[in-house]
Amino acid sequence: MSPRAVQYDAIVVGGGIVGISTACVLARRGMRVLLLEQYTPAHEHGSSHGDSRMIRFDYEENVYVEMAARAFRAWEDLAKRLGRPVFRQTGICNLAPADAEVLDILETRLRDCELPFERLSGSAFTRRFPQLSLTSTSEAIYQPDSAVLYADEVVRSLWDCAREDGVDARTETEVASIEPRDDGVEVSTSNGRSWSGNYLVLATGGWTGRWLDALGIDVPLVVTRELLAYFPPAGSVPHEAGSVPREAGPVPHEAGAMPNVIDYHTADPFYCVPQVRVPGVKAGCHRTGRIVEADDPEEVDRANLAAVQDFIGRRCPHLSRDPVAVKHCLYTNSADYHFILDRHPEHDNVVLAAGFSGHGFKFGPVLGEILAARLFDEPPPVDMSLFGLERFNQPDALKPRTIA
Ligand SMILES: Cc1cc2nc3c(=O)[nH]c(=O)nc-3n(C[C@H](O)[C@H](O)[C@H](O)COP(=O)(O)OP(=O)(O)OC[C@H]3O[C@@H](n4cnc5c(N)ncnc54)[C@H](O)[C@@H]3O)c2cc1C
């Protein structure tokens, strides 16, 4: 490729939360950026759609706590730019049997990180949060700083910001081939359009497997289609589409009134997120989706839905077990559930962002900063030792994260 042919400083493939955040960071650095997305912003086929995502500090590994703190600051900056909030603080409760190790681990972590928290008995918890119910043999750790991000609004707003900042952001443009070369990268669509750039960021979520094969990277990624459902307050009055949801009962379930919840009473934790725009509390069971190819047709897993309904039945006494909506969303799982944020081993100008394993959204802007630093071989803003490709050279040494 001759230098004259290079049209962009950087090309970003994939316009979910990771790709759009990275495009924004690169544009703020004054780069000419092309962003290519096969669908439209916040479309429902990938991982970044829906009205809510949790942001929280309750991680076992330091690096994620640091990233969450940086991300909160970045989300606040975005809110200032937009002139409206992009998240609502609501706190989080981790629930488990009183003697469960997970509570001790989280308590130690929060104390070490000097984050405020309370450890509540089952009855104190139920008095404090009447939306939820816990027996006396269980306990909760409440951390007040956690919040709910307005996910799809955030993604769409970032697309607007990217365009304002000069990103050439194209929708309905599916990349069919990527050719890294010594002096740049060329990407093409199946109908013969092509673009060249000095650098490439691959942020293709559940579609990343094919590119790993094509780029000669031998790293297993397992894509699962996770089910989530929204449960309305029992006896609530159905509202018209587009109108503000109303609570009929005395117990409010909106963000701000009810905490995020992760429930470790089962080997696969259930979670719920308070009501944001859809008139119901969102709930699901972490990492229990079927293994799929990203383009496989959606199909409701009835047994999984029934398990989530049972969870709502035992934990949320004021919610109906009949969901107002059942949705799906992809997890792209790495073998240890840590992210992959690294340069291609042979092509320095290609950076890979993958394996977000069901917990990447909250870190969007920080992932953008990290990926920009990776691209230019700059010191990263956080410790990168968990996120390199090299770890997959010793698959037996990989230790999957146990805390959600
Ligand atoms: C049910 C559920 C709940 C979750 N809850 C949380 C939470 O509470 N907190 C949290 O932090 N995270 C959460 N996550 C995880 C988080 O949503 C994901 O980690 C994050 O959205 C991943 O973003 P992404 O940009 O990598 O993927 P995506 O959003 O899927 O983006 C990848 C994009 O690449 C595009 N693409 C793919 N191939 C091509 C191509 N060839 N050409 C052009 N474009 C292409 C796709 O169309 C897609 O838009 C949850 C995920 C799910 C499924």
Side-chain angles (χ1 to χ4, degrees), residues 106-124:
L106 286 173
E107 183 171 343
T108 306
R109 292 293 302 127
L110 293 169
R111 187 168 291 122
D112 289 352
C113 297
E114 297 181 4
L115 287 160
F117 73 92
E118 290 172 63
R119 188 156 176 166
L120 301 168
S121 68
S123 52

Side-chain angles (χ1 to χ4, degrees), residues 13-19 36-40 43 45-49 52-56 59 149 173-176 203-207 210-211 226-228 271 273 282 328-331 353-354 356-363:
V13 184
I17 188 64
V18 179
L36 299 173
E37 163 55 50
Q38 63 183 346
Y39 294 114
T40 51
H43 67 84
H45 310 287
S47 302
S48 302
H49 54 286
S52 63
R53 289 292 186 283
M54 293 185 206
I55 175 163
R56 57 193 174 84
Y59 272 94
L149 283 158
T173 307
E174 181 186 351
V175 171
T204 43
W207 289 263
R210 67 176 275 206
W211 296 115
E226 304 287 326
L227 177 145
L228 54 129
Y271 65 86
V273 182
K282 181 172 107 176
H328 293 91
C329 176
L330 300 178
Y331 278 12
F356 293 101
S357 307
H359 64 121
F361 196 100
K362 64 182 79 58
F363 303 119

Side-chain angles (χ1 to χ4, degrees), residues 232-245:
S236 63
V237 183
H239 76 291
E240 287 169 36
S243 67
V244 178

